[in-house]
Amino acid sequence: MENLHLTLKEKGYKRIKFKISKTQHLLIKGKINGIEGTFILDTGASNSCVDFEGIERFELSADDSDTKAAGAGGIGMTTQTSVKNTLRLGHWKDKSFGLVIFDMSHVNEALRQYKAKPVHGILGADILMKGKAIIDYYNHCVYLK
């Protein structure tokens, strides 16, 4: 088989490394609006999201939303949205990044119970699809175009 990295690089993909947490989550470093954070890369999350604390941290402009969030640990959670943000993962960049903002305390509390570090947010299928993602679990990296 050809070298995956070189083949994807030729096709315009950028390689972004991730780490595996104690809880077997894929952790990726990134920047929202130029401010670094740690995120779970979650193929099962439909949208990327941050906690309400992320509004101040990532300098987000947040709008109220009628949509209720549901996920592991909760349903019917109040949300806000933020659009037109910049997301940078390694050398890959999205200049029109939208986020759902909701209470992620249950996520970080679960991580703390396993003595894992809390995260600032979750990168979901919206980014994976937009970047035509290819996840290389063996080499701990994701490729985005």
Side-chain angles (χ1 to χ4, degrees):
M1 182 175 125
E2 293 181 51
N3 182 307
L4 179 64
H5 173 65
L6 292 177
T7 301
L8 293 176
K9 185 176 180 179
E10 288 172 5
K11 295 184 182 211
Y13 280 86
K14 308 291 184 192
R15 178 172 60 178
I16 302 108
K17 296 262 185 194
F18 60 75
K19 294 184 178 183
I20 308 289
S21 74
K22 294 177 183 180
T23 56
Q24 298 299 307
H25 288 99
L26 310 184
L27 298 179
I28 192 165
K29 298 267 186 195
K31 290 183 179 181
I32 296 176
N33 300 329
I35 299 148
E36 189 169 294
T38 302
F39 305 91
I40 293 174
L41 187 64
D42 188 347
T43 61
S46 55
N47 293 294
S48 296
C49 53
V50 295
D51 188 77
F52 285 118
E53 293 174 3
I55 295 171
E56 187 174 331
R57 176 183 179 84
F58 297 114
E59 301 172 359
L60 304 176
S61 175
D63 296 312
D64 289 335
S65 172
D66 292 332
T67 305
K68 299 292 182 188
I75 58 169
M77 296 178 280
T78 302
T79 65
Q80 291 183 305
T81 58
S82 181
V83 296
K84 297 182 181 173
N85 298 291
T86 301
L87 172 67
R88 180 177 287 282
L89 303 171
H91 293 292
W92 186 85
K93 188 174 187 178
D94 180 357
K95 295 180 182 177
S96 182
F97 176 56
L99 283 163
V100 174
I101 305 162
F102 74 105
D103 181 5
M104 288 183 51
S105 60
H106 63 285
V107 173
N108 282 320
E109 181 55 35
L111 292 172
R112 281 187 198 94
Q113 287 181 10
Y114 286 94
K115 301 197 182 341
K117 293 181 181 176
V119 295
H120 297 105
I122 296 169
L123 299 177
D126 54 343
I127 288 302
L128 297 171
M129 291 170 59
K130 191 175 207 176
K132 300 178 181 175
I134 298 170
I135 301 174
D136 181 351
Y137 289 95
Y138 181 78
N139 292 303
H140 296 177
C141 57
V142 60
Y143 293 90
L144 297 173
K145 189 171 187 177

